[in-house]
Amino acid sequence: MRSLLFSPSLMSADLLNLAKSLEDVAPVSDMLHFDIMDGHFAPNLTLAPDTVKAVRPATSLPLDAHLMVTTPERYLDQLIAAGADYITLHAETIVANSFRTINMLHERGVKVGIALNPATPVEFAKEYLPLVDMVTVMTVDIGYGGQKLIPQMLRKISALVDFRAASGAKYIIQADGGVNENTCEEIAAAGADALVIGRGLFRTDMPIEESVARWKALRGER
Ligand code: DX5
Ligand code: ZN
């Protein structure tokens, strides 16, 4: 597989021993992914801005806060203060404030990610995609770890590669959901630059050391 960036999804980490989990996955961590949900936009409750704040002093890796909430504007100050490097907003939630929000975050020194739900086409966000730093393609419906990759999303990843070339945009393309050792090759081949990995890394069927070793091997590392 091409050498993609890996972003472990901490929602699936050992929350009782989060510090140890971070150490365990450090060899395959280029960024850390925080799923923040409100029980409305996404049908679950998971991590929070305070989780980002708690992890910040423990690492110098970029922290990506993936906001799956109906009113993301409410949490931006808190996330910036918590030390998030990337704030990933769902395109579906910033229809009334997209340019204002993206510009404000950039002015405050935060990188901006845009996430697209599986049913949301690239065209929906095309007016502002050239402004953002990362586009996260939801490769499952939001809410839970351990779901199966939706195969149609591979086309969306490729469409984002084409749009980037045609528009001169500079975003990195990240896949989020259903990434595991069986699906990572096709996601990489479609053109993704980064992978969020939850249950495919924090596995229930093998010790974490073994799982980390397998992901290292997939990237051609020892
Ligand atoms: C889903 C979240 C994902 C989730 C992915 O709503 O946005 O980040 O953690 O989990 P896996 O990798 O297990 O599909
Ligand atoms: Zn996520």
Side-chain angles (χ1 to χ4, degrees):
M1 183 175 64
R2 285 188 295 117
S3 191
L4 274 65
L5 301 174
F6 290 164
S7 188
S9 178
L10 299 189
M11 154 180 150
S12 291
D14 177 358
L15 295 181
L16 183 59
N17 299 291
L18 187 52
K20 180 180 179 299
S21 257
L22 294 176
E23 269 176 47
D24 287 341
V25 299
V28 289
S29 300
D30 302 299
M31 183 150 67
L32 295 171
H33 188 86
F34 296 78
D35 285 312
I36 300 176
M37 308 186 194
D38 64 355
H40 293 277
F41 182 67
N44 199 359
L45 297 164
T46 46
L47 307 178
D50 276 353
T51 325
V52 176
K53 188 175 169 189
V55 167
R56 181 70 286 175
T59 179
S60 54
L61 290 173
L63 307 183
D64 174 23
H66 177 194
L67 272 179
M68 287 161 277
V69 303
T70 304
T71 320
E73 295 80 7
R74 270 188 204 162
Y75 307 100
L76 301 179
D77 284 341
Q78 231 180 317
L79 281 168
I80 295 168
D85 299 279
Y86 283 83
I87 296 182
T88 293
L89 306 153
H90 267 265
E92 305 85 5
T93 65
I94 56 162
V95 173
N97 299 302
S98 44
F99 285 84
R100 189 160 42 215
T101 306
I102 292 165
N103 290 334
M104 183 277 280
L105 289 173
H106 277 153
E107 275 159 25
R108 293 179 70 179
V110 179
K111 293 201 161 117
V112 179
I114 292 296
L116 301 171
N117 269 339
T120 304
V122 172
E123 290 67 36
F124 185 75
K126 73 168 198 277
E127 299 298 349
Y128 55 76
L129 285 186
L131 303 179
V132 307
D133 305 285
M134 178 159 72
V135 181
T136 296
V137 176
M138 292 313 305
T139 35
V140 296
D141 279 327
I142 55 173
Y144 305 95
Q147 303 180 81
K148 236 172 129 259
L149 179 96
I150 300 171
Q152 295 92 310
M153 296 304 108
L154 298 172
R155 261 192 281 116
K156 195 188 284 187
I157 292 170
S158 301
L160 280 161
V161 173
D162 295 344
F163 181 79
R164 181 171 57 193
S167 64
K170 300 240 161 17
Y171 52 72
I172 61 171
I173 303 168
Q174 174 169 263
D176 185 8
V179 177
N180 57 48
E181 57 182 36
N182 300 318
T183 58
C184 64
E185 296 282 357
E186 52 184 348
I187 298 169
D193 307 298
L195 303 174
V196 175
I197 325 173
R199 280 272 150 247
L201 173 63
F202 300 101
R203 293 171 65 154
T204 50
D205 60 343
M206 68 175 66
I208 188 68
E209 296 75 17
E210 200 180 325
S211 178
V212 167
R214 292 170 81 120
W215 280 103
K216 281 176 74 175
L218 279 165
R219 239 183 354 189
E221 300 163 10
R222 281 158 203 269

XYZ file of all heavy atoms in Angstrom, residues 75-132:
449
model
N -19.212 24.844 19.622
C -18.095 24.143 20.273
C -16.723 24.600 19.783
O -15.714 24.068 20.222
C -18.259 22.630 20.057
C -19.628 22.161 20.484
C -20.631 21.947 19.557
C -19.927 22.007 21.837
C -21.906 21.568 19.959
C -21.197 21.633 22.246
C -22.181 21.419 21.305
O -23.434 21.065 21.704
N -16.703 25.573 18.873
C -15.431 25.928 18.240
C -14.464 26.592 19.220
O -13.288 26.225 19.277
C -15.676 26.806 17.011
C -16.554 26.139 15.927
C -16.766 27.083 14.753
C -15.967 24.813 15.473
N -14.952 27.552 20.009
C -14.078 28.226 20.979
C -13.441 27.205 21.920
O -12.235 27.237 22.181
C -14.870 29.234 21.820
C -15.180 30.495 21.038
O -14.503 30.741 20.012
O -16.107 31.227 21.436
N -14.286 26.321 22.402
C -13.829 25.294 23.339
C -12.760 24.394 22.711
O -11.768 24.044 23.352
C -15.038 24.426 23.664
C -15.326 24.200 25.117
C -16.559 23.305 25.235
O -17.549 23.501 24.521
N -16.497 22.333 26.122
N -12.986 24.026 21.460
C -12.029 23.129 20.787
C -10.715 23.829 20.481
O -9.647 23.224 20.570
C -12.632 22.566 19.496
C -13.597 21.415 19.715
C -14.366 21.110 18.438
C -12.843 20.164 20.182
N -10.793 25.100 20.134
C -9.557 25.860 19.872
C -8.767 25.973 21.172
O -7.566 25.705 21.215
C -9.876 27.250 19.271
C -10.520 27.087 17.886
C -8.617 28.104 19.183
C -11.141 28.351 17.322
N -9.458 26.307 22.255
C -8.793 26.403 23.565
C -8.223 25.054 23.997
O -7.182 24.989 24.656
C -9.771 26.935 24.611
N -8.892 23.981 23.608
C -8.434 22.633 23.984
C -7.182 22.230 23.213
O -6.508 21.275 23.583
C -9.548 21.618 23.735
N -6.893 22.942 22.118
C -5.674 22.663 21.367
C -5.866 21.802 20.138
O -4.901 21.183 19.664
N -7.078 21.760 19.595
C -7.292 21.003 18.350
C -6.500 21.665 17.223
O -6.466 22.892 17.121
C -8.776 20.974 17.995
N -5.828 20.852 16.399
C -5.092 21.378 15.241
C -5.987 21.449 14.023
O -5.887 22.368 13.210
C -3.899 20.472 14.937
C -2.943 20.408 16.107
O -2.135 21.335 16.243
O -3.041 19.455 16.902
N -6.830 20.422 13.873
C -7.826 20.383 12.805
C -9.201 20.360 13.457
O -9.416 19.602 14.417
C -7.725 19.085 11.993
C -6.596 19.019 11.011
C -5.316 18.658 11.425
C -6.807 19.287 9.648
C -4.273 18.570 10.509
C -5.768 19.200 8.734
C -4.508 18.850 9.174
O -3.481 18.762 8.264
N -10.114 21.135 12.923
C -11.515 20.970 13.305
C -12.248 20.558 12.032
O -12.190 21.250 11.010
C -12.108 22.246 13.922
C -11.365 22.564 15.241
C -13.606 22.073 14.173
C -11.874 23.775 15.992
N -12.852 19.388 12.093
C -13.555 18.849 10.930
C -15.054 19.035 11.119
O -15.655 18.535 12.075
C -13.182 17.365 10.735
O -11.800 17.292 10.358
C -14.012 16.726 9.636
N -15.627 19.791 10.186
C -17.042 20.160 10.235
C -17.792 19.388 9.168
O -17.282 19.231 8.047
C -17.183 21.655 9.924
C -16.356 22.597 10.785
C -16.059 23.883 10.012
C -17.099 22.894 12.071
N -18.996 18.964 9.462
C -19.799 18.322 8.419
C -20.405 19.376 7.511
O -21.033 20.327 7.981
C -20.888 17.447 9.048
C -20.430 16.039 9.199
N -20.697 15.071 8.250
C -19.657 15.465 10.132
C -20.111 13.940 8.630
N -19.480 14.145 9.762
N -20.236 19.178 6.210
C -20.794 20.115 5.231
C -22.292 20.314 5.465
O -22.812 21.432 5.328
C -20.549 19.583 3.820
N -22.963 19.237 5.890
C -24.420 19.304 6.075
C -24.812 20.251 7.213
O -25.973 20.668 7.301
C -24.972 17.893 6.379
C -24.626 16.820 5.341
C -23.249 16.178 5.582
O -22.586 16.488 6.591
O -22.822 15.371 4.720
N -23.851 20.563 8.097
C -24.184 21.363 9.296
C -23.761 22.824 9.181
O -24.016 23.606 10.101
C -23.501 20.780 10.553
O -22.077 20.908 10.419
C -23.860 19.314 10.759
N -23.085 23.202 8.093
C -22.584 24.591 8.010
C -23.132 25.321 6.790
O -22.521 26.261 6.286
C -21.032 24.662 8.024
C -20.417 23.824 6.892
C -20.472 24.222 9.365
C -18.971 24.184 6.592
N -24.319 24.898 6.371
C -24.907 25.479 5.154
C -25.063 26.993 5.275
O -24.789 27.743 4.337
C -26.264 24.801 4.863
C -26.982 25.490 3.719
C -26.051 23.327 4.541
N -25.465 27.471 6.449
C -25.723 28.908 6.606
C -24.462 29.700 6.943
O -24.475 30.935 6.889
C -26.782 29.130 7.687
N -23.396 29.005 7.309
C -22.206 29.706 7.834
C -20.914 29.182 7.255
O -19.875 29.284 7.909
C -22.096 29.479 9.356
C -23.275 30.010 10.096
O -23.570 31.191 10.002
N -23.956 29.146 10.816
N -20.927 28.607 6.073
C -19.744 27.867 5.655
C -18.523 28.771 5.501
O -17.492 28.518 6.145
C -20.037 27.081 4.372
O -20.745 27.868 3.456
N -18.608 29.821 4.704
C -17.423 30.671 4.468
C -17.013 31.392 5.743
O -15.828 31.480 6.070
C -17.699 31.671 3.336
C -17.678 31.004 1.984
C -18.803 30.358 1.488
C -16.521 30.985 1.218
C -18.782 29.715 0.265
C -16.484 30.354 -0.018
C -17.620 29.711 -0.492
N -17.999 31.902 6.472
C -17.711 32.609 7.727
C -16.948 31.700 8.690
O -15.971 32.101 9.308
C -19.046 33.050 8.346
C -18.925 33.958 9.513
C -20.212 34.731 9.764
N -21.406 33.909 9.612
C -22.558 34.363 9.126
N -22.682 35.607 8.741
N -23.602 33.575 9.020
N -17.405 30.466 8.805
C -16.792 29.548 9.777
C -15.384 29.136 9.336
O -14.442 29.136 10.130
C -17.688 28.304 9.963
O -19.000 28.752 10.296
C -17.168 27.408 11.069
N -15.241 28.800 8.072
C -13.922 28.378 7.561
C -12.918 29.529 7.721
O -11.795 29.331 8.211
C -14.034 27.931 6.084
C -14.850 26.639 5.994
C -12.651 27.755 5.455
C -15.344 26.290 4.587
N -13.330 30.738 7.344
C -12.411 31.879 7.445
C -12.056 32.182 8.891
O -10.893 32.462 9.217
C -13.023 33.121 6.789
C -13.088 32.952 5.277
O -12.294 32.210 4.696
N -14.041 33.621 4.642
N -13.035 32.097 9.768
C -12.786 32.371 11.192
C -11.775 31.372 11.753
O -10.833 31.747 12.464
C -14.114 32.304 11.961
C -14.026 32.639 13.433
S -13.502 31.270 14.477
C -15.039 30.356 14.619
N -11.953 30.093 11.430
C -11.028 29.078 11.963
C -9.616 29.314 11.440
O -8.641 29.234 12.188
C -11.513 27.667 11.614
C -12.760 27.211 12.380
C -13.264 25.875 11.837
C -12.478 27.085 13.879
N -9.497 29.651 10.163
C -8.171 29.922 9.615
C -7.543 31.142 10.280
O -6.354 31.134 10.604
C -8.255 30.111 8.100
C -8.258 28.803 7.356
N -8.838 28.642 6.122
C -7.760 27.584 7.688
C -8.675 27.379 5.719
N -8.039 26.722 6.662
N -8.354 32.175 10.493
C -7.815 33.375 11.162
C -7.305 33.043 12.559
O -6.368 33.660 13.051
C -8.893 34.465 11.261
C -8.972 35.310 10.014
C -10.321 36.018 9.874
O -10.988 36.242 10.902
O -10.692 36.320 8.719
N -7.911 32.062 13.169
C -7.494 31.684 14.531
C -6.440 30.582 14.521
O -6.115 30.020 15.560
C -8.719 31.301 15.346
C -9.600 32.545 15.568
C -10.840 32.261 16.336
N -10.575 31.953 17.737
C -11.530 31.681 18.623
N -12.800 31.710 18.248
N -11.224 31.396 19.864
N -5.906 30.273 13.358
C -4.760 29.363 13.277
C -5.105 27.885 13.308
O -4.244 27.052 13.584
N -6.367 27.561 13.032
C -6.789 26.161 13.053
C -6.954 25.670 11.617
O -7.403 26.415 10.746
C -8.138 26.019 13.804
C -8.615 24.572 13.820
C -8.002 26.553 15.214
N -6.561 24.433 11.375
C -6.787 23.842 10.055
C -8.233 23.359 9.971
O -8.803 22.916 10.971
C -5.824 22.698 9.824
C -4.382 23.193 9.716
C -3.535 22.170 8.995
C -2.272 22.827 8.482
N -1.078 22.266 9.083
N -8.798 23.450 8.770
C -10.211 23.128 8.600
C -10.375 21.854 7.791
O -9.808 21.709 6.699
C -10.955 24.290 7.895
C -12.430 23.943 7.698
C -10.813 25.568 8.697
N -11.163 20.938 8.344
C -11.565 19.747 7.612
C -13.052 19.835 7.307
O -13.812 20.429 8.066
N -13.434 19.278 6.173
C -14.859 19.165 5.828
C -15.178 17.687 5.680
O -14.481 16.974 4.948
C -15.171 19.917 4.510
C -15.011 21.430 4.689
C -16.582 19.582 4.005
C -15.966 22.082 5.670
N -16.210 17.247 6.379
C -16.641 15.850 6.260
C -17.926 15.792 5.439
O -18.787 16.676 5.547
C -16.865 15.241 7.638
N -17.999 14.766 4.607
C -19.189 14.549 3.767
C -19.817 13.218 4.142
O -19.158 12.167 4.052
C -18.794 14.507 2.284
C -18.100 15.750 1.719
C -17.575 15.461 0.308
C -19.058 16.939 1.694
N -21.069 13.252 4.559
C -21.779 12.004 4.833
C -21.879 11.178 3.554
O -21.786 11.735 2.445
C -23.187 12.308 5.369
C -23.208 12.398 6.882
O -22.316 11.877 7.550
N -24.223 13.046 7.422
N -22.096 9.871 3.679
C -22.153 9.037 2.467
C -23.160 9.533 1.419
O -22.890 9.446 0.222
C -22.555 7.663 3.018
C -21.973 7.639 4.396
C -22.121 9.053 4.913
N -24.263 10.095 1.861
C -25.287 10.529 0.898
C -25.033 11.932 0.351
O -25.787 12.400 -0.514
C -26.677 10.470 1.556
N -24.004 12.602 0.832
C -23.722 13.981 0.387
C -22.689 13.965 -0.734
O -21.565 13.481 -0.539
C -23.186 14.817 1.574
O -24.129 14.756 2.636
C -22.958 16.256 1.169
N -23.056 14.493 -1.905
C -22.093 14.491 -3.020
C -21.018 15.563 -2.875
O -21.215 16.557 -2.168
C -22.976 14.786 -4.239
C -24.148 15.520 -3.706
C -24.358 15.070 -2.274
N -19.910 15.375 -3.544
C -18.809 16.355 -3.535
C -19.322 17.734 -3.959
O -18.932 18.763 -3.390
C -17.686 15.883 -4.488
C -16.626 16.954 -4.673
C -17.066 14.588 -3.979
N -20.208 17.762 -4.945
C -20.722 19.035 -5.490
C -21.336 19.915 -4.407
O -21.303 21.133 -4.480
C -21.788 18.778 -6.575
C -21.261 18.200 -7.865
C -20.716 16.779 -7.708
O -21.285 16.002 -6.905
O -19.702 16.451 -8.361
N -21.883 19.285 -3.384
C -22.561 20.027 -2.311
C -21.608 21.032 -1.648
O -22.040 22.076 -1.164
C -23.084 19.030 -1.270
C -23.903 19.637 -0.170
C -25.204 20.048 -0.399
C -23.371 19.789 1.102
C -25.965 20.603 0.619
C -24.115 20.346 2.131
C -25.422 20.754 1.892
N -20.324 20.697 -1.609
C -19.360 21.536 -0.887
C -18.369 22.215 -1.820
O -17.420 22.861 -1.368
C -18.607 20.677 0.130
N -18.588 22.100 -3.125
C -17.520 22.472 -4.059
C -17.131 23.952 -4.022
O -15.992 24.292 -4.326
C -17.867 22.028 -5.476
C -18.940 22.829 -6.172
C -18.963 22.445 -7.662
C -19.660 23.439 -8.526
N -21.086 23.386 -8.630
N -18.054 24.823 -3.615
C -17.724 26.260 -3.606
C -16.605 26.570 -2.618
O -15.821 27.491 -2.832
C -18.960 27.110 -3.287
C -20.103 26.963 -4.282
C -19.752 27.402 -5.703
O -18.693 28.023 -5.905
O -20.541 27.095 -6.618
N -16.530 25.834 -1.511
C -15.496 26.169 -0.517
C -14.413 25.102 -0.355
O -13.459 25.304 0.390
C -16.132 26.531 0.840
C -17.060 25.496 1.415
C -16.576 24.340 2.021
C -18.440 25.672 1.352
C -17.430 23.393 2.548
C -19.312 24.719 1.875
C -18.801 23.583 2.469
O -19.641 22.639 2.985
N -14.536 23.986 -1.053
C -13.492 22.955 -0.903
C -12.080 23.470 -1.219
O -11.116 23.061 -0.564
C -13.809 21.715 -1.745
C -14.915 20.802 -1.195
C -15.023 19.534 -2.042
C -14.666 20.429 0.267
N -11.916 24.379 -2.203
C -10.551 24.883 -2.451
C -9.954 25.649 -1.266
O -8.752 25.901 -1.238
C -10.733 25.794 -3.672
C -11.938 25.240 -4.371
C -12.852 24.800 -3.262
N -10.778 26.008 -0.283
C -10.264 26.753 0.875
C -9.794 25.848 2.001
O -9.106 26.299 2.916
C -11.373 27.650 1.458
C -12.033 28.666 0.547
C -13.106 29.427 1.303
C -10.977 29.634 0.004
N -10.192 24.581 1.996
C -9.994 23.779 3.214
C -8.721 22.929 3.153
O -8.124 22.737 2.097
C -11.239 22.914 3.542
C -12.492 23.781 3.594
C -11.403 21.757 2.568
